[in-house]
């Protein structure tokens, strides 16, 4: 995945597009996958993510946004049933919120 410039207060659509690209990278390592990545896409049911895939995604998220969107902290606060039901949209909102807080803290 190529590096991109950081957008101040990116939109939900921009973050979704970046996360979709990250997921495509992770999924490419698994093999062919035809699931469309949208806000309602489930990591478990739709993408069939396993824990190692989450680790790969966490590395990509950290490389892109650093600690501003701490993925490990995000998932650590969830119960098992919440992790199983986790959607791409929940992650997108977490990223958008994390970046907004960071931007607000810089003012």
């Amino acid at each position: 995945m190529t590096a991109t410039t950081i957008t101040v207060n990116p939109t939900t659509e921009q973050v979704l597009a970046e996360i979709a690209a990250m997921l495509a990278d992770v999924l490419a390592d698994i093999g062919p996958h035809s699931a469309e990545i949208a806000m309602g896409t489930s990591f478990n049911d739709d993408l069939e993510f396993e824990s190692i895939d989450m680790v790969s995604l966490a590395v990509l998220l950290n490389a892109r946004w650093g600690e501003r969107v701490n993925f490990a902290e995000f998932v650590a606060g969830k119960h098992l049933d919440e992790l199983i039901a986790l959607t791409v949209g929940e992650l997108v909102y977490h990223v958008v919120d994390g970046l907004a807080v960071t931007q607000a803290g810089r003012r």
Side-chain angles (χ1 to χ4, degrees):
M1 183 167 175
T2 59
T4 57
T5 57
I6 296 174
T7 304
V8 176
N9 296 322
T11 66
T12 302
E13 293 79 19
Q14 289 169 323
V15 172
L16 174 60
E18 289 199 54
I19 290 176
M22 292 176 194
L23 292 171
D25 283 350
V26 173
L27 292 170
D29 291 341
I30 299 169
H33 210 281
S34 62
E36 180 181 336
I37 298 171
M39 295 293 278
T41 302
S42 163
F43 284 98
N44 186 48
D45 292 338
D46 299 323
L47 301 178
E48 300 175 359
F49 255 46
E50 296 184 12
S51 58
I52 190 68
D53 304 320
M54 287 294 195
V55 171
S56 297
L57 177 60
V59 168
L60 294 173
L61 290 166
N62 189 54
R64 174 64 178 99
W65 291 296
E67 288 299 311
R68 295 176 292 172
V69 290
N70 189 326
F71 184 71
E73 189 176 280
F74 172 64
V75 296
K78 299 198 174 296
H79 293 106
L80 181 58
D81 58 334
E82 293 172 310
L83 287 173
I84 291 169
L86 185 66
T87 65
V88 171
E90 289 174 84
L91 177 57
V92 168
Y93 289 128
H94 170 72
V95 170
V96 169
D97 290 347
L99 295 176
V101 168
T102 301
Q103 292 300 326
R106 289 184 179 174
R107 292 182 184 149

